């Protein structure tokens, strides 16, 4: 019944106008993605951050250069293909990701249990520095989720994004101090909680 | 309202949230796509609802689906709705979705400008933070331009959390809007010394990245960074700075010398591997830049190499990898120090880790010498055999070829060995690099004359062996070598032992399975072979054998004639006809060999890859000009059907041709030949050298027969290694005897850095490498092909120049409704806008996208701008660039040439009032469209640490002058300022005033009231001011031509007045500039130290001035249609001049 009333609401004047705008938008083809000639350096120093599991299922994808959804999926697949066939005790650097920009770029990854954390960076980043950063990222996740496991990432990808946003901004390293990151995340969660009492549905879990 | 809220949350109970969506997808593994499309339908329903919480939930789910590869750009508008939610929770969801799916092509992105601005100035630091984070992912040139100033002010925010984000995002802004770099740079530099380490690190990050792209502009910061490097303890910052120094040192060697010591200290002291590694890297960069004549740094190199060796020997694969990476940098300049670690590097070739093997391969490239080339290549060949996976094997193959061919085959002493290596490589299955091998074979065979005989024998064996042709379709990569083999056998057929056999091999039916371009080469070279056989047989007086060969050709060629490939077909039919003709002649017993081989007389020389580019364009040749008039579209349409119907005509005309005057033809021929032969002709590149003198200058060298040539069947390259060792041994012995008598001269080589060990080894054959052809008078240019589209080129900006007024970032202005309406009409130029005009002028292209505010601004300024340009001379443009403040004065004659002393910067804004909270600057702008209205722009700058809000401006109206207030408000109400001011921020507000009479200056009393809020609480504050409306502010710069000016003066309707000011030291040029700028006049004419000037008031008064400069005084005579206005103006001018 509540659903019916909601629909009645949508039939109001504003709703109708919006729907028209929406439908007009749907009729149009999606806007073209900017074409980047291969090998041309993009503006970001960290080009992309990917998390996927041992089967290549993406758990988080953050691209700091514009790519279409299809290309993004291709990049994830290619990266998984490159990373997954490597042994456990080889180095964590990998060259030759063809899709995500030319020879200047490297894949730097770490493998934790069921998850791969992959950073695609250009030569301005220190390789060992990024490895440390991945470690900081994982430790921060561990703190924020209390014993993080793949399920946390599966169900709370938005929170992972928020944590990542405190560490890397627009492809540049923003903060490497874990305590500072955790403080900011906690403060934001508190702010969120103070807002929720009005609209929180009882089913908002964890 | 409350009911609605409750209803919203009840609705939500039935919506899926993100967790439900994820769970649902996991439960529908079989029909995931169907389930998701169902969910998307639901989401679309949710987006239609009014409840923002429902919308945010829907957008949150969409963000998840985006990660799975679903296009969500259709929801861009809804995402913006969620971004503009007042609650942080929703806002964050919106910005996250936007950062994941917005890009420059998203059309609704222009709707976000105001929302983002609002969020940036939000009192909550997390609203600001989330907006900055989102913006960093989708900033466009438009957003960057419109928000640059807002972000710049945030760089001085009280909260370090905001400061560091604002600093970091500036990099993105610079990239999208390079004009912002200079105005923002001083503040960015300030942030290098910010008390907060996070902000400091962000500033270092941004400047390092800028400097990496355009290092020369940042050299002046070196001392500051040096200080930071010695004082900072943050490894992240140190790494960045050290990396930056690596980029700076090549430009400033002195810096390098200074760096060595602290860096070596760091190398010794640090325990952080990442820092150690970057230090080593930078020391290497420094040493490279110092490499010329700095022998005393060998200790540093040793230290680096030692440290790297430790890294490479480490069990941690990461360090091993990085060690090898850094080693390859040393290799370029100090190959010897690396070569001593050859053992270690060769060991890495056997590593199980492919990344490490590849790095080691890179190093090998620089480590080969004449001495060890064979040995290293042998090792690589072993790896080729072992390698699993084609990718790595292909990499090995290219490396082998790279190593061998580097710097003109510098290290190869025995080309027979090299050819056999290449032949061995052809056995690789499934490689992609067949064409590489083929290119090498061709190159070596053409350029190393002495090797041709051997090469031909090897190639004929290749042609003969079935393995390449067989199943060529499956591994078409490698069959490319047949292209080279066929060509070499054909071109150098005189060296063939068994030409008939090779001819037969090339005419086998299986050949037709090869790719078209290879078959084409086969057909062409079959003829060359055939010509050689004919020649041979005729000389040997064996006409039957010659006829046999002809018969073979006639029998086999039809298989090519049937080819589907046009090129093959065409060549084959030509050749077939030729051979048939030869057959007829042979039947008559006519010797034909000479004529057939004349087809291929002469020699082909290699042409340098850049030769074509270097041919200078001869004078008077326009390559873009049409040779014939281009057929117009209509013509060609008309003529095509004609040609079909009148097919006969062209043929007839062709038949007529021979009847044409013989002399005429001869003339044409003569005139054509020089063109064909001239060095400018493209044909040169393919030209055969008919005249032998050209070939003779290349000495043909005999092969040293001390090396047995006959290696049965396919020679294994290993045999050569053994032979080579023996030969060297022999040489060494001989040399020892000789040494006392004479020193052996260096052998001829083009570019080499022969090491001592190299010099000892003489090559097996004295090989002459034929140099590549270059056209005569080739341009000596070596302009590197820089990418003109490189986004960083725009940021190549000199940052040490003082900032000009014109470069200030555009401040978004508030506009009252009346003004914007009035602006739609366009008319004569105003001067006060000149600075902003300038800004527009600089912009390379007008960006599209109709943000309302922008359009308004464009309307306001652009039309006038254009008009001005039409009216005035082009020369003025140049002048305007040099002197920004001057650009509006129409100097037409006399003034433009001389002068050239810098004009001091002028600002039309003057102080209105100031207290500890706020500083007010104002400027009055008039426009011709409204004869009784002016706009007052007030810049409000928050000077305190408090947050200023609820600002309201009120003035006490006079009878003559009134402030325009919103409709419905009384004359005593204030006008609210449409923004709030966080600490340290400034912004500009505009107010409209109506004026009845403009002939007198006016002063209005006014008050600014506001609430200042800080941590301790909020206080109500006031600031009083007096707004001075000068008469000059009613004037509008209007250009006037001298004849019109003269007529005006003659008309005699003007009243006159004059002033005189003494004690003026300023130059006349600057003086005029000042009058133009502050009083809105334009120069009509200037002769020596005398100038006539003109201006017009908004109510149409003409004002003419004659300014004369004496020794140290200036006199101004004025004529104006209103005497009061004139005297007021002159008074104001007197005050201005008195300051000069």
């Amino acid at each position: 019944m509540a659903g019916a009333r909601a629909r009645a609401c949508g039939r109001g004047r504003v709703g109708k106008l919006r729907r028209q705008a929406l439908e007009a938008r749907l009729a149009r083809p999606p806007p073209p993605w900017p074409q980047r000639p291969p090998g041309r350096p993009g503006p970001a120093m960290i080009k992309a951050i990917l998390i996927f599991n041992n089967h290549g299922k993406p758990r988080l994808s953050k691209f700091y250069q514009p790519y279409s959804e299809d290309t993004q999926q291709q990049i994830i697949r290619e990266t998984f293909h490159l990373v997954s066939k490597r042994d456990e005790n080889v180095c964590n650097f990998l060259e030759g990701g063809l899709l995500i920009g030319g020879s200047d770029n490297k894949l730097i990854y770490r493998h934790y249990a069921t998850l791969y954390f992959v950073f695609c960076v250009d030569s301005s980043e220190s390789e060992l520095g990024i490895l440390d950063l991945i470690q900081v990222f994982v430790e921060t996740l561990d703190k924020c989720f209390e014993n993080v496991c793949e399920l946390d990432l599966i169900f709370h990808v938005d929170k992972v994004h928020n944590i990542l946003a405190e560490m890397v901004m627009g492809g540049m390293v923003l903060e490497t101090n874990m305590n500072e990151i955790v403080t900011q995340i906690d403060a934001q969660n508190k702010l969120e909680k103070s807002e929720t009492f009005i609209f929180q549905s009882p089913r908002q879990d964890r | 309202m409350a009911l609605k809220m409750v209803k919203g949350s009840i609705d939500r109970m039935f919506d899926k949230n993100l967790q439900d969506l994820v769970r649902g997808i996991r439960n529908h593994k079989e029909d995931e796509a169907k389930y998701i499309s169902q969910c998307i339908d639901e989401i679309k329903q949710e987006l239609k609802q009014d409840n923002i919480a429902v919308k945010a939930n829907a957008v949150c789910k969409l963000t998840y689906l985006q990660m799975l590869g679903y296009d969500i750009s259709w929801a861009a508008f809804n995402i913006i709705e969620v971004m503009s939610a007042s609650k942080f929770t929703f806002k964050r969801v919106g910005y996250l979705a936007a950062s994941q799916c917005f890009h420059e092509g998203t059309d609704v992105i222009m709707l976000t400008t105001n929302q983002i601005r609002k969020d940036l100035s939000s009192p909550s630091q997390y609203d600001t933070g989330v907006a900055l984070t989102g913006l960093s992912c989708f900033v466009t040139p438009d957003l960057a331009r419109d928000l640059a100033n807002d972000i710049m002010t945030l760089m001085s925010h009280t909260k370090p959390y905001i400061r560091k984000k604002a600093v970091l995002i500036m990099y993105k802004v610079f990239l999208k809007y390079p004009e912002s770099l200079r105005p923002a740079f001083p503040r960015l530099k300030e942030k290098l010394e910010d008390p907060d380490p996070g902000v400091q690190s962000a500033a270092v990050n941004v400047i390092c990245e800028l400097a990496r792209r355009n290092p020369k502009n940042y050299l002046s910061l070196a001392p500051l960074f040096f200080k930071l490097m010695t004082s900072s303890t943050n490894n992240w910052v140190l790494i960045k700075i050290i990396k930056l120094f690596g980029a700076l040192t090549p430009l400033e060697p002195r810096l390098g010398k200074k760096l060595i010591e602290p860096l070596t200290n760091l190398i010794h002291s640090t325990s952080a591997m990442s820092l150690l590694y970057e230090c080593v890297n930078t020391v290497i960069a420094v040493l490279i830049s110092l490499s010329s004549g700095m022998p005393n740094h060998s200790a540093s190199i040793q230290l680096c190499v030692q440290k790297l060796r430790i890294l490479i020997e480490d069990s941690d694969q990461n360090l091993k990898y990085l060690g090898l990476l850094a080693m390859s940098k040393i290799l370029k300049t100090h190959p010897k120090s690396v070569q001593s670690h050859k053992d270690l590097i060769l060991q890495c070739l056997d590593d199980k880790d492919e990344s490490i093997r590849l790095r080691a391969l890179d190093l090998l490239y620089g480590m080969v010498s004449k001495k060890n080339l064979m040995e290293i290549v042998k090792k690589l060949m072993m790896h080729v055999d072992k390698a699993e996976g084609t990718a790595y094997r292909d990499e090995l193959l290219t490396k082998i070829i790279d190593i061998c061919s580097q710097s003109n085959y510098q290290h190869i002493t025995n080309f027979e060995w090299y050819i056999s290596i290449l032949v061995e490589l052809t056995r690789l299955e499934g490689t992609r690099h067949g064409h590489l091998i083929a290119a090498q074979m061709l190159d070596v065979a053409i350029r190393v004359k002495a090797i041709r005989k051997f090469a031909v024998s090897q190639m004929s064996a290749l042609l003969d062996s079935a393995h390449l042709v067989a199943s060529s379709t499956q591994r078409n990569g490698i069959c490319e070598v047949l292209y080279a083999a066929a060509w070499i056998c054909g071109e150098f057929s005189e060296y063939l032992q068994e030409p008939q056999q090779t001819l037969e091999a090339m005419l086998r039916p299986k050949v037709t399975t090869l790719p078209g371009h290879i078959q084409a080469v086969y057909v062409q070279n079959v003829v060359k072979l055939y010509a050689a056989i004919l020649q041979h047989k005729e000389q040997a007086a064996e006409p039957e054998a010659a006829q046999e060969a002809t018969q073979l050709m006639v029998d086999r060629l039809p298989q090519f004639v049937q080819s589907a490939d046009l090129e093959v077909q065409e060549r084959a039919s030509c050749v077939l006809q030729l051979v048939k003709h030869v057959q007829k002649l042979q039947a008559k017993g006519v010797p034909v060999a000479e004529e057939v081989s004349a087809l291929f007389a002469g020699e082909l020389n290699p042409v340098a890859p850049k030769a074509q580019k270097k041919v200078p364009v001869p004078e008077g040749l326009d390559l873009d000009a049409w040779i014939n008039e281009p057929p117009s579209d209509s013509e060609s349409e008309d003529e095509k059907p004609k040609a079909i119907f009148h097919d006969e005509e062209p043929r007839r005309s062709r038949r007529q041709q021979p009847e044409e005057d013989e002399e005429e033809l001869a003339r044409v021929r003569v005139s054509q030949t020089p063109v064909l032969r001239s060095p400018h002709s493209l044909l040169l590149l393919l030209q055969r050298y008919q005249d032998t003198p050209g070939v003779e200058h290349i000495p043909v060298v005999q092969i040293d027969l001390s090396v047995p040539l006959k290696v049965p069947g396919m020679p294994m390259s290993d045999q050569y290694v053994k032979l080579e060792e023996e030969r060297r041994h022999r040489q060494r012995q001989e040399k020892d005897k000789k040494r006392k008598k004479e020193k052996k001269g260096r052998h001829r080589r083009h570019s080499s850095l022969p090491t001592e060990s190299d010099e000892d080894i003489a090559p097996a054959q004295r090989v002459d490498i034929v140099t590549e052809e270059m056209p005569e008078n080739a341009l000596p240019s070596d302009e590197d092909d820089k990418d003109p589209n490189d986004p960083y080129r725009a940021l190549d900006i000199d940052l040490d120049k003082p900032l000009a007024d014109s470069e200030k970032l555009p401040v978004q202005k508030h506009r009252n409704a009346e003004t914007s309406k009035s602006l739609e009409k366009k008319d004569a130029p105003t001067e006060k806008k000149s600075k902003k005009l300038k800004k527009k002028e600089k912009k390379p292209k007008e960006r599209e996208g109709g943000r309302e505010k922008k359009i308004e601004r464009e309307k306001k300024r652009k039309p006038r701008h254009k008009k001005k340009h039409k009216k005035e001379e082009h020369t003025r443009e140049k002048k305007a660039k040099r002197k920004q403040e001057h650009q509006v004065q129409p100097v037409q004659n006399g003034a433009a040439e001389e002068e050239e002393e810098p004009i001091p910067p002028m600002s039309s804004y003057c102080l209105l009032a100031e207290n500890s909270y706020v500083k007010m600057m104002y400027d009055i702008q008039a426009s011709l469209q409204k004869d009784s209205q002016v706009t007052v722009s007030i810049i409000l700058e928050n000077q305190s640490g408090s947050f200023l809000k609820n600002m309201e401006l009120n003035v006490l109206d006079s009878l003559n002058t009134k402030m325009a207030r919103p409709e419905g408000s009384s004359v005593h109400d204030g006008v609210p300022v449409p923004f709030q001011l966080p600490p340290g921020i400034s912004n500009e507000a505009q107010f409209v005033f109506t004026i009845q009479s403009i002939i007198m200056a006016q002063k209005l009393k006014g008050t600014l009231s506001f609430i200042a809020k800080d941590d301790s609480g909020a206080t109500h504050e006031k600031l009083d001011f007096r707004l001075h409306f000068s008469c000059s502010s009613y004037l509008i710069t209007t250009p006037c031509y001298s004849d019109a000016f003269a007529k005006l003066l003659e008309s005699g309707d003007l009243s006159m007045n004059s002033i005189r000011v003494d004690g003026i030291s300023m130059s006349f040029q600057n003086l005029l500039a000042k009058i133009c700028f502050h009083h809105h006049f334009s120069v009509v004419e200037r002769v020596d130290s005398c100038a006539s000037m003109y201006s017009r008031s908004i109510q149409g008064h003409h004002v003419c001035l004659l300014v004369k400069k004496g020794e140290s005084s200036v006199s101004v005579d004025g004529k104006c249609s209103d005497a009061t206005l004139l005297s007021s103006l002159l008074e104001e001018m007197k005050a201005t001049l008195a300051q000069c």
Side-chain angles (χ1 to χ4, degrees), chain B residues 543-557:
Chain B
E544 296 81 22
Q547 278 171 5
E548 250 172 57
T550 312
Q551 193 54 48
L552 180 71
M553 293 281 278
V554 174
D555 290 346
R556 297 283 177 80
L557 277 172

Side-chain angles (χ1 to χ4, degrees), chain B residues 252-537:
Chain B
E252 181 53 273
R254 282 177 298 173
L255 177 65
K257 283 180 208 164
K258 248 190 132 175
L259 278 172
I260 290 277
E261 202 201 321
L263 284 180
T264 38
N265 287 346
L266 264 176
I267 292 178
H268 282 300
S269 63
T270 185
S271 58
M273 270 299 174
S274 48
L275 187 56
L276 169 84
Y277 172 67
E278 294 305 336
C279 285
V280 170
N281 250 336
T282 299
V283 169
I284 293 167
V286 169
L287 292 175
I288 289 171
S289 69
L290 294 178
S291 57
S292 51
M294 290 294 288
N296 50 345
H297 282 306
S298 58
S300 306
I301 297 180
Q302 281 314 313
L303 176 70
C304 287
V305 176
Q306 258 170 34
K307 285 281 175 187
L308 290 179
R309 190 176 173 111
I310 294 171
L311 289 184
I312 296 173
E313 282 171 337
D314 200 291
S315 60
D316 184 343
Q317 295 281 353
N318 291 331
L319 298 182
K320 195 181 278 257
Y321 171 89
L322 293 174
L324 289 169
L325 193 64
M327 208 62 129
S328 66
K329 287 175 193 157
I330 301 188
L331 186 73
K332 283 177 198 132
T333 48
H334 301 84
K336 264 188 238 162
S337 7
V338 180
Q339 272 161 12
S340 54
H341 300 281
K342 201 179 81 187
D343 55 318
L344 192 61
I345 287 153
L346 286 179
Q347 209 179 306
C348 290
L349 273 185
D350 298 325
D351 201 284
K352 60 186 180 309
D353 189 343
E354 197 176 295
S355 297
I356 286 175
R357 286 201 304 257
L358 286 173
R359 286 269 74 85
L361 271 181
D362 267 358
L363 276 171
L364 275 185
Y365 180 82
M367 300 188 57
V368 288
S369 64
K370 283 187 181 141
K371 219 174 175 179
N372 59 18
L373 176 72
M374 285 182 166
E375 181 198 332
I376 287 178
V377 171
K378 183 180 160 193
K379 197 158 175 163
L380 291 180
M381 291 298 282
M382 271 157 61
H383 278 285
V384 170
D385 289 339
K386 279 192 291 182
E388 325 130 3
T390 51
Y392 180 59
R393 210 173 45 183
D394 281 359
E395 188 62 36
L396 275 168
L397 189 151
T398 43
K399 268 283 130 52
I400 291 176
I401 288 178
D402 276 359
I403 288 173
C404 292
S405 64
Q406 68 172 305
S407 37
N408 239 342
Y409 306 101
Q410 184 194 342
H411 301 300
I412 294 184
T413 50
N414 187 334
F415 277 93
E416 286 183 20
W417 164 82
Y418 186 43
I419 293 274
S420 17
I421 287 284
L422 289 175
V423 170
E424 273 177 52
L425 285 174
T426 63
R427 295 206 196 126
L428 279 184
E429 297 209 5
T431 177
R432 286 184 291 121
H433 292 306
H435 62 277
L436 261 183
I437 305 175
Q440 282 293 298
M441 286 173 168
L442 285 172
D443 200 40
V444 171
I446 294 169
R447 293 172 64 186
V448 186
K449 285 200 148 197
I451 203 64
R452 284 181 190 164
K453 185 167 185 183
F454 179 76
V456 165
S457 72
Q458 291 297 307
M459 293 305 124
S460 65
L462 264 187
L463 287 176
D464 218 10
S465 71
H467 79 273
L468 286 172
V469 187
S471 65
S472 61
T473 41
Q474 289 151 33
R475 31 185 181 140
N476 46 7
I478 200 65
C479 68
E480 288 287 326
V481 295
L482 289 176
Y483 178 101
W487 190 87
I488 291 170
C489 285
E491 187 63 27
F492 307 118
S493 48
E494 67 264 31
Y495 298 111
L496 268 179
Q497 304 275 323
E498 303 271 354
Q500 280 102 330
Q501 201 184 329
T502 312
L503 184 67
E504 268 177 54
M506 287 172 77
L507 289 171
R508 276 184 204 138
K510 250 197 260 169
V511 169
T512 51
T513 58
L514 288 170
H517 66 285
I518 297 179
Q519 284 189 56
V521 168
Y522 264 66
V523 172
Q524 190 73 9
N525 285 285
V526 157
V527 193
K528 290 183 197 165
L529 259 178
Y530 170 65
I533 293 171
L534 278 187
Q535 181 107 16
H536 182 251
K537 294 299 171 196

Side-chain angles (χ1 to χ4, degrees), chain B residues 85 116 119 170 173 193 212 232 299 370 439 468 521 553 738-739 854 861 943 966 998 1066 1085 1090 1103 1123:
Chain B
I116 295 172
D119 290 334
M170 277 318 277
V173 173
E193 294 174 297
R212 194 166 71 101
S232 177
K370 283 187 181 141
L468 286 172
V521 168
M553 293 281 278
K738 276 187 190 171
R739 190 167 285 165
K854 201 179 124 198
R861 287 162 188 162
Q943 295 185 319
I998 61 158
M1066 193 183 259
E1085 216 167 345
C1090 185
V1103 189

Side-chain angles (χ1 to χ4, degrees), chain B residues 131-148:
Chain B
L132 284 173
T133 307
L135 186 62
S136 72
C137 289
F138 58 78
V139 59
T140 64
D142 281 337
L143 284 176
R145 188 195 55 231
D146 294 338
L147 298 172

Side-chain angles (χ1 to χ4, degrees), chain A residues 133 136-137 163-169 172-175 181:
Chain A
L133 187 71
V136 172
F137 185 27
I163 293 167
L164 186 62
E166 294 302 321
M167 300 180 63
V168 179
M169 189 176 122
M172 291 172 286
V173 179
L174 178 70
E175 184 59 67
I181 299 166

Side-chain angles (χ1 to χ4, degrees), chain B residues 813-826:
Chain B
K813 286 185 181 179
H814 169 259
R815 221 172 323 282
N816 292 19
E818 296 103 292
T819 25
S820 61
K821 252 184 261 156
S822 72
L823 295 168
E824 284 172 20
K825 289 182 266 162
K826 48 198 166 181

Side-chain angles (χ1 to χ4, degrees), chain B residues 717-945:
Chain B
S717 52
D718 293 358
Q719 287 171 291
Y720 286 94
V721 180
K722 214 169 157 194
L723 288 171
E724 181 71 14
E725 272 162 17
E726 285 168 16
R727 191 180 64 86
R728 278 184 201 169
H729 184 65
R730 240 181 298 133
Q731 262 181 1
R732 225 170 292 139
Q733 286 174 333
E734 278 171 39
K735 233 181 169 179
D736 285 341
K737 288 176 210 157
K738 276 187 190 171
R739 190 167 285 165
K740 284 163 198 165
K741 291 176 194 167
E742 54 174 352
K743 265 197 171 176
K744 201 173 159 52
R746 284 185 194 172
H747 44 81
R748 303 161 62 194
R749 265 298 141 78
H750 301 284
S751 57
S752 58
L753 289 159
T755 56
E756 287 155 7
S757 58
D758 272 5
E759 272 179 284
D760 289 343
I761 304 163
Q765 305 103 2
R766 289 258 327 263
V767 179
D768 182 89
I769 296 182
V770 180
T771 42
E772 292 170 327
E773 292 271 310
M774 273 296 203
E776 292 166 39
N777 56 17
L779 299 169
S781 63
D782 234 335
E783 77 288 357
D784 25 346
D785 319 47
K786 270 196 179 166
D787 185 355
N789 298 325
D790 183 1
Y792 303 104
R793 287 234 309 209
L795 286 181
D796 190 356
I797 294 168
D798 184 2
L799 293 161
D800 296 330
K801 273 194 312 198
L803 196 65
D805 240 13
S806 61
E807 284 179 302
K808 275 187 188 149
L809 286 178
V811 180
Q812 198 67 26
K813 286 185 181 179
H814 169 259
R815 221 172 323 282
N816 292 19
E818 296 103 292
T819 25
S820 61
K821 252 184 261 156
S822 72
L823 295 168
E824 284 172 20
K825 289 182 266 162
K826 48 198 166 181
D827 212 73
T830 37
E831 168 158 29
K832 282 179 187 160
K833 298 281 157 53
S834 64
K835 282 187 292 181
K836 281 119 200 171
L837 272 171
K838 184 75 186 163
K839 198 91 223 175
K840 287 270 174 251
E841 190 174 36
K842 269 178 153 180
K843 213 146 286 160
K845 56 178 185 218
E846 289 306 331
R847 296 192 181 88
E848 299 148 9
R851 201 166 311 114
E852 280 172 77
K853 275 208 169 172
K854 201 179 124 198
I855 290 175
E856 271 175 28
R857 200 162 52 192
E858 226 87 336
K859 270 183 192 154
K860 186 171 168 188
R861 287 162 188 162
K862 248 184 60 198
R864 295 179 192 158
H865 183 66
K866 270 189 189 152
K867 197 157 184 180
K868 197 171 60 193
H869 267 256
K870 259 184 242 162
K871 273 186 189 167
E872 291 158 22
E873 306 297 323
H874 282 291
T875 47
R876 282 208 48 247
E877 267 186 50
K878 272 187 238 154
K879 205 174 145 62
K881 259 176 212 160
R882 263 176 312 184
K883 311 168 68 197
Q884 283 127 8
E885 309 306 339
H886 259 233
Q887 61 167 343
V888 196
Q889 56 161 308
V891 178
Q892 265 137 1
N893 31 21
E897 271 68 36
E898 39 142 3
E899 111 261 320
E900 282 351 286
E901 94 185 60
I903 306 283
M906 286 181 265
S907 167
S908 55
Y909 284 87
C910 42
L911 186 70
L912 183 60
E914 189 176 12
N915 66 8
S916 59
Y917 286 103
V918 70
K919 181 178 172 184
M920 300 169 76
M921 308 276 287
Y922 81 110
D923 180 31
I924 301 171
Q925 290 137 25
S927 81
L928 262 189
Q929 293 92 45
K930 295 269 174 182
D931 57 8
S932 58
Q933 214 177 63
V934 289
T935 308
V936 178
S937 307
I938 300 180
I939 300 178
L940 297 154
E941 189 185 341
N942 186 348
Q943 295 185 319
S944 68

